Amino acid sequence: MARIAVGGLQHETNCFAPEHTDFNYFASIGDRPPLARGEEVLRNLPNRAFGMSGFLANMAGRHELVPLVWSSGAAGGYVTIDAFERIAGELIGRLSVALPVDAVYLDLHGAMCSVDFEDGEGELLRRVRAVVGPQVPVVISLDYHTNLTPAMAVLTDGMAVYYTYPHVGILSSKAVARRRARFASCRF
């Protein structure tokens, strides 16, 4: 049984939107679960139409899941410095405390830009990799219209991308993420 850290930070940035997406938007959004921390990730996301939901369903009882932070900000303007640093910082802090882990799974969108980072996912993955090192597999799931960057490719060991819109393939793409995580590490 592997010990897998799970988390996510999703945002589909519209660089033309005049309003920035702040922390309160992630924390209290109405059409999706608000920011979830620790065990809230495991309680609030099963049986829903989110990437983390499918991953949790596929991993139930198979591995020890260590929930970090999960948040989805839907679509909006640039993510504020405060929002990005608070959520990413908490995810990285919880990951640091959770060590050692055998793998990391992150539910991302793939099109996040913050005020400071044009490649929000790449920056988050850089921080994750700095904590876990090169030997721990990092597997991500992405929306089908992700803006895949070199950093995202270099810093991960596997990716699963949604197949359709509407996202009817979310649960099956998470099964792919599980298989890719297993492939990346013989311990799965």
Side-chain angles (χ1 to χ4, degrees), residues 15-16 26 34 48 55 75 82 88-89 105 125 158 162-163 171 175 181 188:
C15 298
F16 298 106
F26 285 98
R48 300 187 82 145
F55 191 81
D82 175 66
Y105 164 70
L125 290 165
Y162 302 167
Y163 300 123
L171 295 179
F188 283 72

Side-chain angles (χ1 to χ4, degrees), residues 6-168:
V6 299
L9 173 52
Q10 297 185 346
H11 189 264
E12 180 179 1
T13 303
N14 176 347
C15 298
F16 298 106
E19 299 293 323
H20 290 174
T21 306
D22 64 12
F23 180 80
N24 289 334
Y25 187 77
F26 285 98
S28 61
I29 194 162
D31 68 337
R32 54 198 64 230
L35 176 68
R37 296 173 165 103
E39 294 298 317
E40 292 173 344
V41 174
L42 302 180
R43 281 195 312 270
N44 297 350
L45 290 161
N47 304 312
R48 300 187 82 145
F50 296 99
M52 181 63 73
S53 307
F55 191 81
L56 294 175
N58 277 286
M59 292 298 193
R62 295 179 182 192
H63 299 288
E64 178 188 355
L65 301 180
V66 182
L68 307 172
V69 171
W70 181 92
S71 185
S72 177
Y78 284 97
V79 176
T80 64
I81 296 167
D82 175 66
F84 184 83
E85 292 301 336
R86 285 173 74 178
I87 299 168
E90 186 170 350
L91 189 146
I92 296 302
R94 287 176 178 267
L95 178 59
S96 298
V97 169
L99 294 176
V101 296
D102 298 307
V104 177
Y105 164 70
L106 296 177
D107 182 19
L108 306 175
H109 183 281
M112 177 174 49
C113 298
S114 75
V115 172
D116 279 356
F117 303 106
E118 184 176 274
D119 178 7
E121 285 85 0
E123 176 59 20
L124 180 62
L125 290 165
R126 183 192 66 75
R127 295 177 189 193
V128 167
R129 191 54 81 190
V131 170
V132 301
Q135 301 304 316
V136 174
V138 176
V139 177
I140 62 175
S141 55
L142 300 164
D143 192 272
Y144 85 115
H145 60 269
T146 184
N147 297 320
L148 186 60
T149 66
M152 292 163 64
V154 168
L155 295 167
T156 60
D157 298 289
M159 297 178 193
V161 181
Y162 302 167
Y163 300 123
T164 62
Y165 185 85
H167 302 317
V168 295

